[in-house]
């Protein structure tokens, strides 16, 4: 089994690029075109694919449709992924409204919040009391959660989620969370990303010839 996060990230990027090629009317693709679209070398593409037993034809390349199907299968996207969320504030609500998740087979099925003013079980994505999270996750066998609560509440929320059976978390709280190895945490720290961007924009303005590496891992 492949446990390298960067490799799996590249698979998602290949898959997205393949959809774009398909929408342009292509049926087949060579690894160097795909490599170019994603910003890696063609050797990297072939190496990543061979890890999953995907092989192309030297003359004809890869068939786009079957490649997309294989990648979706590897990425667990051939079935709808149900996701719960803790924190239905501004960010949480924006994520609920974000349409592209459903296109990608991901559905936020319920949100949980401590603020009673936000509770509404009749919404398409119901906002429920935090106390209901454990039972909901157990009944619905949900495995993935999103944390969009303030940083001070995030560790507690993570502990509640793990106790309920969640084993993968996308954490938007700007804090390093602790969990056992049975739970995978992916952090999205928007402040940190913007801070990083600001640094490089300033650096570029100070010395326009400076080279900033933007290689995709
Ligand atoms: P709002 O404007 O609705 O307060 P916000 O995104 O600015 O949104 P935050 O303070 O970041 O507010 O909180 C995000 C959400 O997390 C809010 O809906 C808040 O009620 C909720 N929240 C805070 N603490 C917890 C907690 N311990 N458990 C669950 N939800 C929480």
């Amino acid at each position: 089994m492949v446990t390298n996060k960067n490799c799996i990230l590249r698979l998602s990027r290949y898959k997205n690029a393949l959809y774009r090629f398909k929408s342009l009317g292509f049926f087949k693709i060579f690894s160097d075109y795909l490599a170019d679209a994603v910003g890696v070398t063609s050797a990297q593409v072939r190496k990543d694919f061979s890890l999953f037993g995907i092989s192309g034809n030297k003359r004809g390349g890869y068939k786009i449709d079957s490649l997309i199907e294989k990648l979706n299968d590897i990425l667990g996207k051939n079935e709808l992924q149900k996701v719960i969320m803790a924190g239905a504030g501004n960010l949480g609500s924006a994520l609920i409204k974000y349409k592209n998740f459903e296109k990608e087979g991901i559905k936020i099925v319920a949100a949980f919040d401590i603020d009673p003013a936000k509770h509404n079980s009749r919404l398409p994505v119901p906002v429920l009391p935090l106390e209901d999270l454990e039972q909901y996750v157990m009944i619905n066998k949900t495995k993935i959660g999103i944390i969009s609560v303030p940083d001070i509440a995030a560790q507690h929320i993570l502990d509640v989620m793990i106790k309920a059976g969640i084993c993968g978390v996308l954490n938007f709280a700007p804090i390093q969370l602790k969990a056992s190895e049975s739970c995978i945490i992916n952090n999205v720290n928007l402040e940190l990303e913007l801070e990083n961007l600001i640094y490089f924009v300033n650096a570029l303005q100070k010395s326009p010839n400076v080279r900033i590496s933007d290689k995709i891992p």
Side-chain angles (χ1 to χ4, degrees), residues 99-183:
K99 294 268 186 295
N100 271 7
F101 287 145
E102 296 221 10
K103 270 197 247 159
E104 292 293 332
I106 297 161
K107 176 147 181 58
I108 299 175
V109 285
F112 300 86
D113 204 287
I114 42 162
D115 182 359
K118 294 194 171 137
H119 298 163
N120 187 345
S121 58
R122 277 174 294 185
L123 292 171
V125 178
V127 181
L128 308 169
L130 183 65
E131 302 79 68
D132 294 356
L133 188 150
E134 189 169 346
Q135 203 189 13
Y136 184 98
V137 168
M138 284 177 178
I139 292 172
N140 293 282
K141 299 189 171 47
T142 328
K143 295 284 168 223
I144 297 174
I146 295 176
I147 293 182
S148 50
V149 298
D151 52 3
I152 42 159
Q155 184 65 52
H156 170 66
I157 294 295
L158 177 67
D159 296 341
V160 172
M161 283 186 174
I162 291 176
K163 185 162 173 262
I166 292 290
C167 39
V169 167
L170 187 61
N171 171 40
F172 283 93
I175 189 170
Q176 203 62 36
L177 298 175
K178 294 184 189 75
S180 68
E181 282 188 359
S182 60
C183 181

Side-chain angles (χ1 to χ4, degrees), residues 189-216:
N189 188 329
L190 297 174
E191 292 92 327
L192 199 124
E193 293 294 333
L194 277 169
E195 203 173 277
N196 187 276
L197 194 60
I198 289 163
Y199 170 86
F200 283 109
V201 167
N202 287 338
L204 208 62
Q205 279 177 347
K206 276 184 211 145
S207 25
N209 294 330
V210 77
R211 288 198 59 182
I212 296 164
S213 166
D214 61 351
K215 279 238 154 57
I216 293 171

Side-chain angles (χ1 to χ4, degrees), residues 6-25:
N6 289 337
C7 171
I8 305 304
L9 268 175
R10 284 194 298 272
L11 292 194
S12 294
R13 288 179 175 135
Y14 299 144
K15 184 250 315 159
N16 292 343
L18 286 166
Y19 274 118
R20 286 198 298 274
F21 280 113
K22 186 180 151 113
S23 72
L24 292 172

